[in-house]
Amino acid sequence: MAFKDLAEFQHVEPLVLTIAGQEYSFPGQIHAQWWLRLQTMRKLTESGEAELDAIALTDDEEGELRAEMMGDAEAEMLANGVTSAQFKVVWGTLINFHTYDRLVAEMVWNSQGEALAPNRAARRAKKPAQSARPRGNS
């Protein structure tokens, strides 16, 4: 059995977020160069070894990344009068979606942008559901 062309069967759904009843669709994937950059930033941040200058994006880079993550939804949100607080939650959700996974992004979204500490969020995302069985001797 040979490996198939990944592009033939891999399908990544867009991320759909709703603000005031309006659905906004964001690309479900980004270019590998951005994903790798985000992973490097995550690892450096979590290890505590990062200096801000080492992981900071330039204004141009941030604009490119934002355009990649938001696609056409950014213009739609601005046209619809999305507030800065709402925009901030969207941005934080997208960063976590592409840096970690959908579960962490949902935690950020549902907490109105208040992200968990990165290592805590990663542990929660990987933690299996706890058993309903009571503790102690049985």
Side-chain angles (χ1 to χ4, degrees):
M1 182 166 149
F3 286 101
K4 297 178 185 178
D5 183 335
L6 187 59
E8 291 178 11
F9 63 90
Q10 183 185 43
H11 178 72
V12 179
E13 293 289 327
L15 179 64
V16 178
L17 301 173
T18 306
I19 303 171
Q22 175 69 42
E23 288 187 345
Y24 299 96
S25 182
F26 301 90
Q29 57 188 348
I30 57 176
H31 192 280
Q33 74 180 17
W34 287 117
W35 183 83
L36 290 168
R37 179 85 182 263
L38 289 171
Q39 295 308 308
T40 299
M41 292 168 68
R42 176 186 61 85
K43 288 176 187 170
L44 289 171
T45 302
E46 288 178 358
S47 71
E49 298 173 14
E51 292 184 25
L52 288 179
D53 291 342
I55 63 170
L57 298 173
T58 66
D59 289 344
D60 288 343
E61 289 173 328
E62 184 178 339
E64 290 173 26
L65 178 59
R66 194 177 71 240
E68 178 109 8
M69 285 186 176
M70 293 199 170
D72 296 333
E74 181 175 3
E76 289 177 55
M77 291 189 315
L78 296 175
N80 290 339
V82 167
T83 68
S84 60
Q86 293 167 330
F87 196 92
K88 180 181 174 184
V89 174
V90 169
W91 180 241
T93 299
L94 293 173
I95 291 286
N96 282 280
F97 177 74
H98 292 290
T99 303
Y100 295 98
D101 56 27
R102 183 180 190 93
L103 180 62
V104 173
E106 286 177 5
M107 287 188 278
V108 170
W109 181 259
N110 292 329
S111 67
Q112 299 180 43
E114 294 300 320
L116 299 169
N119 57 356
R120 184 173 167 207
R123 283 195 310 270
R124 281 191 177 183
K126 293 178 183 174
K127 186 177 181 180
Q130 294 204 354
S131 170
R133 195 175 90 191
R135 295 181 188 209
N137 294 338
S138 307

PDB file of all heavy atoms in Angstrom, residues 91-114:
ATOM      1  N   TRP A  91      -9.282  37.379  17.700  1.00  0.00           N
ATOM      2  CA  TRP A  91      -7.844  37.247  17.452  1.00  0.00           C
ATOM      3  C   TRP A  91      -7.226  36.213  18.399  1.00  0.00           C
ATOM      4  O   TRP A  91      -6.485  35.333  17.977  1.00  0.00           O
ATOM      5  CB  TRP A  91      -7.174  38.610  17.584  1.00  0.00           C
ATOM      6  CG  TRP A  91      -5.699  38.615  17.360  1.00  0.00           C
ATOM      7  CD1 TRP A  91      -4.750  38.984  18.261  1.00  0.00           C
ATOM      8  CD2 TRP A  91      -4.985  38.246  16.178  1.00  0.00           C
ATOM      9  NE1 TRP A  91      -3.487  38.867  17.699  1.00  0.00           N
ATOM     10  CE2 TRP A  91      -3.616  38.415  16.412  1.00  0.00           C
ATOM     11  CE3 TRP A  91      -5.375  37.790  14.929  1.00  0.00           C
ATOM     12  CZ2 TRP A  91      -2.638  38.135  15.479  1.00  0.00           C
ATOM     13  CZ3 TRP A  91      -4.394  37.517  13.988  1.00  0.00           C
ATOM     14  CH2 TRP A  91      -3.049  37.695  14.257  1.00  0.00           C
ATOM     15  N   GLY A  92      -7.543  36.309  19.678  1.00  0.00           N
ATOM     16  CA  GLY A  92      -7.015  35.351  20.648  1.00  0.00           C
ATOM     17  C   GLY A  92      -7.476  33.934  20.366  1.00  0.00           C
ATOM     18  O   GLY A  92      -6.713  32.973  20.516  1.00  0.00           O
ATOM     19  N   THR A  93      -8.708  33.797  19.937  1.00  0.00           N
ATOM     20  CA  THR A  93      -9.246  32.470  19.601  1.00  0.00           C
ATOM     21  C   THR A  93      -8.509  31.891  18.399  1.00  0.00           C
ATOM     22  O   THR A  93      -8.123  30.713  18.407  1.00  0.00           O
ATOM     23  CB  THR A  93     -10.759  32.574  19.318  1.00  0.00           C
ATOM     24  OG1 THR A  93     -11.410  33.058  20.500  1.00  0.00           O
ATOM     25  CG2 THR A  93     -11.344  31.229  18.917  1.00  0.00           C
ATOM     26  N   LEU A  94      -8.290  32.711  17.376  1.00  0.00           N
ATOM     27  CA  LEU A  94      -7.592  32.232  16.184  1.00  0.00           C
ATOM     28  C   LEU A  94      -6.142  31.856  16.493  1.00  0.00           C
ATOM     29  O   LEU A  94      -5.642  30.831  16.008  1.00  0.00           O
ATOM     30  CB  LEU A  94      -7.645  33.278  15.075  1.00  0.00           C
ATOM     31  CG  LEU A  94      -9.033  33.542  14.485  1.00  0.00           C
ATOM     32  CD1 LEU A  94      -8.984  34.707  13.513  1.00  0.00           C
ATOM     33  CD2 LEU A  94      -9.596  32.295  13.826  1.00  0.00           C
ATOM     34  N   ILE A  95      -5.467  32.668  17.287  1.00  0.00           N
ATOM     35  CA  ILE A  95      -4.087  32.351  17.667  1.00  0.00           C
ATOM     36  C   ILE A  95      -4.044  30.986  18.359  1.00  0.00           C
ATOM     37  O   ILE A  95      -3.217  30.135  18.044  1.00  0.00           O
ATOM     38  CB  ILE A  95      -3.500  33.449  18.586  1.00  0.00           C
ATOM     39  CG1 ILE A  95      -3.279  34.744  17.821  1.00  0.00           C
ATOM     40  CG2 ILE A  95      -2.225  32.972  19.273  1.00  0.00           C
ATOM     41  CD1 ILE A  95      -2.107  34.743  16.870  1.00  0.00           C
ATOM     42  N   ASN A  96      -4.947  30.766  19.306  1.00  0.00           N
ATOM     43  CA  ASN A  96      -4.962  29.499  20.037  1.00  0.00           C
ATOM     44  C   ASN A  96      -5.415  28.334  19.177  1.00  0.00           C
ATOM     45  O   ASN A  96      -4.938  27.206  19.348  1.00  0.00           O
ATOM     46  CB  ASN A  96      -5.816  29.622  21.302  1.00  0.00           C
ATOM     47  CG  ASN A  96      -5.063  30.336  22.389  1.00  0.00           C
ATOM     48  OD1 ASN A  96      -4.232  29.747  23.060  1.00  0.00           O
ATOM     49  ND2 ASN A  96      -5.310  31.632  22.546  1.00  0.00           N
ATOM     50  N   PHE A  97      -6.312  28.590  18.239  1.00  0.00           N
ATOM     51  CA  PHE A  97      -6.759  27.544  17.315  1.00  0.00           C
ATOM     52  C   PHE A  97      -5.583  27.021  16.489  1.00  0.00           C
ATOM     53  O   PHE A  97      -5.395  25.815  16.340  1.00  0.00           O
ATOM     54  CB  PHE A  97      -7.852  28.102  16.392  1.00  0.00           C
ATOM     55  CG  PHE A  97      -8.338  27.132  15.361  1.00  0.00           C
ATOM     56  CD1 PHE A  97      -9.156  26.078  15.707  1.00  0.00           C
ATOM     57  CD2 PHE A  97      -7.991  27.284  14.022  1.00  0.00           C
ATOM     58  CE1 PHE A  97      -9.625  25.173  14.747  1.00  0.00           C
ATOM     59  CE2 PHE A  97      -8.445  26.406  13.063  1.00  0.00           C
ATOM     60  CZ  PHE A  97      -9.264  25.344  13.426  1.00  0.00           C
ATOM     61  N   HIS A  98      -4.773  27.940  15.981  1.00  0.00           N
ATOM     62  CA  HIS A  98      -3.655  27.534  15.128  1.00  0.00           C
ATOM     63  C   HIS A  98      -2.412  27.132  15.917  1.00  0.00           C
ATOM     64  O   HIS A  98      -1.570  26.406  15.404  1.00  0.00           O
ATOM     65  CB  HIS A  98      -3.325  28.642  14.124  1.00  0.00           C
ATOM     66  CG  HIS A  98      -4.400  28.831  13.113  1.00  0.00           C
ATOM     67  ND1 HIS A  98      -4.675  27.911  12.124  1.00  0.00           N
ATOM     68  CD2 HIS A  98      -5.305  29.827  12.950  1.00  0.00           C
ATOM     69  CE1 HIS A  98      -5.684  28.328  11.395  1.00  0.00           C
ATOM     70  NE2 HIS A  98      -6.090  29.486  11.871  1.00  0.00           N
ATOM     71  N   THR A  99      -2.295  27.615  17.161  1.00  0.00           N
ATOM     72  CA  THR A  99      -1.139  27.270  17.973  1.00  0.00           C
ATOM     73  C   THR A  99      -1.355  25.945  18.694  1.00  0.00           C
ATOM     74  O   THR A  99      -0.448  25.125  18.784  1.00  0.00           O
ATOM     75  CB  THR A  99      -0.849  28.375  19.011  1.00  0.00           C
ATOM     76  OG1 THR A  99      -0.665  29.602  18.315  1.00  0.00           O
ATOM     77  CG2 THR A  99       0.394  28.067  19.811  1.00  0.00           C
ATOM     78  N   TYR A 100      -2.554  25.750  19.217  1.00  0.00           N
ATOM     79  CA  TYR A 100      -2.865  24.526  19.956  1.00  0.00           C
ATOM     80  C   TYR A 100      -3.850  23.685  19.160  1.00  0.00           C
ATOM     81  O   TYR A 100      -3.460  22.886  18.330  1.00  0.00           O
ATOM     82  CB  TYR A 100      -3.421  24.866  21.347  1.00  0.00           C
ATOM     83  CG  TYR A 100      -2.388  25.551  22.211  1.00  0.00           C
ATOM     84  CD1 TYR A 100      -2.380  26.937  22.347  1.00  0.00           C
ATOM     85  CD2 TYR A 100      -1.417  24.827  22.872  1.00  0.00           C
ATOM     86  CE1 TYR A 100      -1.427  27.574  23.129  1.00  0.00           C
ATOM     87  CE2 TYR A 100      -0.459  25.453  23.649  1.00  0.00           C
ATOM     88  CZ  TYR A 100      -0.468  26.824  23.773  1.00  0.00           C
ATOM     89  OH  TYR A 100       0.479  27.449  24.539  1.00  0.00           O
ATOM     90  N   ASP A 101      -5.123  23.889  19.408  1.00  0.00           N
ATOM     91  CA  ASP A 101      -6.139  23.103  18.708  1.00  0.00           C
ATOM     92  C   ASP A 101      -7.514  23.708  18.944  1.00  0.00           C
ATOM     93  O   ASP A 101      -7.642  24.738  19.605  1.00  0.00           O
ATOM     94  CB  ASP A 101      -6.121  21.633  19.150  1.00  0.00           C
ATOM     95  CG  ASP A 101      -6.294  21.447  20.654  1.00  0.00           C
ATOM     96  OD1 ASP A 101      -6.912  22.306  21.308  1.00  0.00           O
ATOM     97  OD2 ASP A 101      -5.813  20.435  21.180  1.00  0.00           O
ATOM     98  N   ARG A 102      -8.515  23.071  18.414  1.00  0.00           N
ATOM     99  CA  ARG A 102      -9.887  23.577  18.514  1.00  0.00           C
ATOM    100  C   ARG A 102     -10.369  23.643  19.967  1.00  0.00           C
ATOM    101  O   ARG A 102     -11.043  24.584  20.365  1.00  0.00           O
ATOM    102  CB  ARG A 102     -10.820  22.706  17.681  1.00  0.00           C
ATOM    103  CG  ARG A 102     -12.231  23.202  17.673  1.00  0.00           C
ATOM    104  CD  ARG A 102     -13.153  22.309  16.840  1.00  0.00           C
ATOM    105  NE  ARG A 102     -14.419  22.965  16.683  1.00  0.00           N
ATOM    106  CZ  ARG A 102     -14.750  23.753  15.663  1.00  0.00           C
ATOM    107  NH1 ARG A 102     -13.898  23.951  14.684  1.00  0.00           N
ATOM    108  NH2 ARG A 102     -15.921  24.332  15.610  1.00  0.00           N
ATOM    109  N   LEU A 103     -10.033  22.643  20.772  1.00  0.00           N
ATOM    110  CA  LEU A 103     -10.486  22.603  22.157  1.00  0.00           C
ATOM    111  C   LEU A 103      -9.971  23.807  22.950  1.00  0.00           C
ATOM    112  O   LEU A 103     -10.729  24.469  23.661  1.00  0.00           O
ATOM    113  CB  LEU A 103     -10.052  21.300  22.828  1.00  0.00           C
ATOM    114  CG  LEU A 103     -10.457  21.134  24.286  1.00  0.00           C
ATOM    115  CD1 LEU A 103     -11.972  21.134  24.432  1.00  0.00           C
ATOM    116  CD2 LEU A 103      -9.884  19.839  24.835  1.00  0.00           C
ATOM    117  N   VAL A 104      -8.700  24.113  22.815  1.00  0.00           N
ATOM    118  CA  VAL A 104      -8.131  25.269  23.507  1.00  0.00           C
ATOM    119  C   VAL A 104      -8.768  26.553  22.977  1.00  0.00           C
ATOM    120  O   VAL A 104      -9.107  27.453  23.749  1.00  0.00           O
ATOM    121  CB  VAL A 104      -6.593  25.297  23.386  1.00  0.00           C
ATOM    122  CG1 VAL A 104      -6.020  26.583  23.963  1.00  0.00           C
ATOM    123  CG2 VAL A 104      -5.977  24.085  24.065  1.00  0.00           C
ATOM    124  N   ALA A 105      -8.972  26.630  21.668  1.00  0.00           N
ATOM    125  CA  ALA A 105      -9.611  27.819  21.083  1.00  0.00           C
ATOM    126  C   ALA A 105     -11.028  27.994  21.632  1.00  0.00           C
ATOM    127  O   ALA A 105     -11.446  29.120  21.924  1.00  0.00           O
ATOM    128  CB  ALA A 105      -9.644  27.705  19.562  1.00  0.00           C
ATOM    129  N   GLU A 106     -11.755  26.905  21.807  1.00  0.00           N
ATOM    130  CA  GLU A 106     -13.105  26.991  22.381  1.00  0.00           C
ATOM    131  C   GLU A 106     -13.058  27.490  23.818  1.00  0.00           C
ATOM    132  O   GLU A 106     -13.909  28.278  24.232  1.00  0.00           O
ATOM    133  CB  GLU A 106     -13.798  25.631  22.324  1.00  0.00           C
ATOM    134  CG  GLU A 106     -14.256  25.243  20.952  1.00  0.00           C
ATOM    135  CD  GLU A 106     -14.882  23.857  20.901  1.00  0.00           C
ATOM    136  OE1 GLU A 106     -15.049  23.206  21.957  1.00  0.00           O
ATOM    137  OE2 GLU A 106     -15.198  23.417  19.782  1.00  0.00           O
ATOM    138  N   MET A 107     -12.063  27.055  24.586  1.00  0.00           N
ATOM    139  CA  MET A 107     -11.921  27.533  25.958  1.00  0.00           C
ATOM    140  C   MET A 107     -11.671  29.042  25.969  1.00  0.00           C
ATOM    141  O   MET A 107     -12.245  29.769  26.783  1.00  0.00           O
ATOM    142  CB  MET A 107     -10.797  26.794  26.682  1.00  0.00           C
ATOM    143  CG  MET A 107     -11.155  25.365  27.052  1.00  0.00           C
ATOM    144  SD  MET A 107      -9.921  24.583  28.116  1.00  0.00           S
ATOM    145  CE  MET A 107      -8.696  24.060  26.923  1.00  0.00           C
ATOM    146  N   VAL A 108     -10.837  29.511  25.058  1.00  0.00           N
ATOM    147  CA  VAL A 108     -10.547  30.948  24.970  1.00  0.00           C
ATOM    148  C   VAL A 108     -11.815  31.704  24.562  1.00  0.00           C
ATOM    149  O   VAL A 108     -12.174  32.708  25.173  1.00  0.00           O
ATOM    150  CB  VAL A 108      -9.387  31.221  23.988  1.00  0.00           C
ATOM    151  CG1 VAL A 108      -9.229  32.708  23.711  1.00  0.00           C
ATOM    152  CG2 VAL A 108      -8.097  30.623  24.526  1.00  0.00           C
ATOM    153  N   TRP A 109     -12.509  31.213  23.544  1.00  0.00           N
ATOM    154  CA  TRP A 109     -13.720  31.869  23.053  1.00  0.00           C
ATOM    155  C   TRP A 109     -14.777  31.935  24.155  1.00  0.00           C
ATOM    156  O   TRP A 109     -15.357  32.984  24.410  1.00  0.00           O
ATOM    157  CB  TRP A 109     -14.264  31.095  21.847  1.00  0.00           C
ATOM    158  CG  TRP A 109     -15.503  31.692  21.255  1.00  0.00           C
ATOM    159  CD1 TRP A 109     -16.797  31.281  21.442  1.00  0.00           C
ATOM    160  CD2 TRP A 109     -15.589  32.818  20.377  1.00  0.00           C
ATOM    161  NE1 TRP A 109     -17.655  32.066  20.735  1.00  0.00           N
ATOM    162  CE2 TRP A 109     -16.939  33.014  20.064  1.00  0.00           C
ATOM    163  CE3 TRP A 109     -14.635  33.660  19.816  1.00  0.00           C
ATOM    164  CZ2 TRP A 109     -17.382  34.030  19.222  1.00  0.00           C
ATOM    165  CZ3 TRP A 109     -15.063  34.675  18.974  1.00  0.00           C
ATOM    166  CH2 TRP A 109     -16.425  34.847  18.684  1.00  0.00           C
ATOM    167  N   ASN A 110     -15.004  30.820  24.809  1.00  0.00           N
ATOM    168  CA  ASN A 110     -16.050  30.748  25.825  1.00  0.00           C
ATOM    169  C   ASN A 110     -15.696  31.483  27.115  1.00  0.00           C
ATOM    170  O   ASN A 110     -16.564  31.721  27.944  1.00  0.00           O
ATOM    171  CB  ASN A 110     -16.421  29.295  26.112  1.00  0.00           C
ATOM    172  CG  ASN A 110     -17.109  28.659  24.921  1.00  0.00           C
ATOM    173  OD1 ASN A 110     -17.806  29.321  24.161  1.00  0.00           O
ATOM    174  ND2 ASN A 110     -16.903  27.374  24.735  1.00  0.00           N
ATOM    175  N   SER A 111     -14.428  31.844  27.277  1.00  0.00           N
ATOM    176  CA  SER A 111     -14.028  32.643  28.439  1.00  0.00           C
ATOM    177  C   SER A 111     -13.817  34.103  28.035  1.00  0.00           C
ATOM    178  O   SER A 111     -13.169  34.861  28.749  1.00  0.00           O
ATOM    179  CB  SER A 111     -12.757  32.071  29.073  1.00  0.00           C
ATOM    180  OG  SER A 111     -11.663  32.220  28.188  1.00  0.00           O
ATOM    181  N   GLN A 112     -14.371  34.461  26.891  1.00  0.00           N
ATOM    182  CA  GLN A 112     -14.307  35.826  26.360  1.00  0.00           C
ATOM    183  C   GLN A 112     -12.884  36.321  26.183  1.00  0.00           C
ATOM    184  O   GLN A 112     -12.549  37.464  26.463  1.00  0.00           O
ATOM    185  CB  GLN A 112     -15.095  36.786  27.238  1.00  0.00           C
ATOM    186  CG  GLN A 112     -16.553  36.426  27.306  1.00  0.00           C
ATOM    187  CD  GLN A 112     -17.330  37.377  28.177  1.00  0.00           C
ATOM    188  OE1 GLN A 112     -17.131  38.583  28.111  1.00  0.00           O
ATOM    189  NE2 GLN A 112     -18.220  36.846  28.992  1.00  0.00           N
ATOM    190  N   GLY A 113     -12.025  35.427  25.722  1.00  0.00           N
ATOM    191  CA  GLY A 113     -10.659  35.807  25.381  1.00  0.00           C
ATOM    192  C   GLY A 113      -9.652  35.650  26.487  1.00  0.00           C
ATOM    193  O   GLY A 113      -8.471  35.901  26.278  1.00  0.00           O
ATOM    194  N   GLU A 114     -10.081  35.238  27.651  1.00  0.00           N
ATOM    195  CA  GLU A 114      -9.150  35.043  28.760  1.00  0.00           C
ATOM    196  C   GLU A 114      -8.489  33.679  28.597  1.00  0.00           C
ATOM    197  O   GLU A 114      -9.049  32.657  28.957  1.00  0.00           O
ATOM    198  CB  GLU A 114      -9.871  35.133  30.103  1.00  0.00           C
ATOM    199  CG  GLU A 114     -10.426  36.503  30.386  1.00  0.00           C
ATOM    200  CD  GLU A 114      -9.366  37.595  30.425  1.00  0.00           C
ATOM    201  OE1 GLU A 114      -8.272  37.359  30.965  1.00  0.00           O
ATOM    202  OE2 GLU A 114      -9.637  38.680  29.896  1.00  0.00           O
TER     203      GLU A 114
END
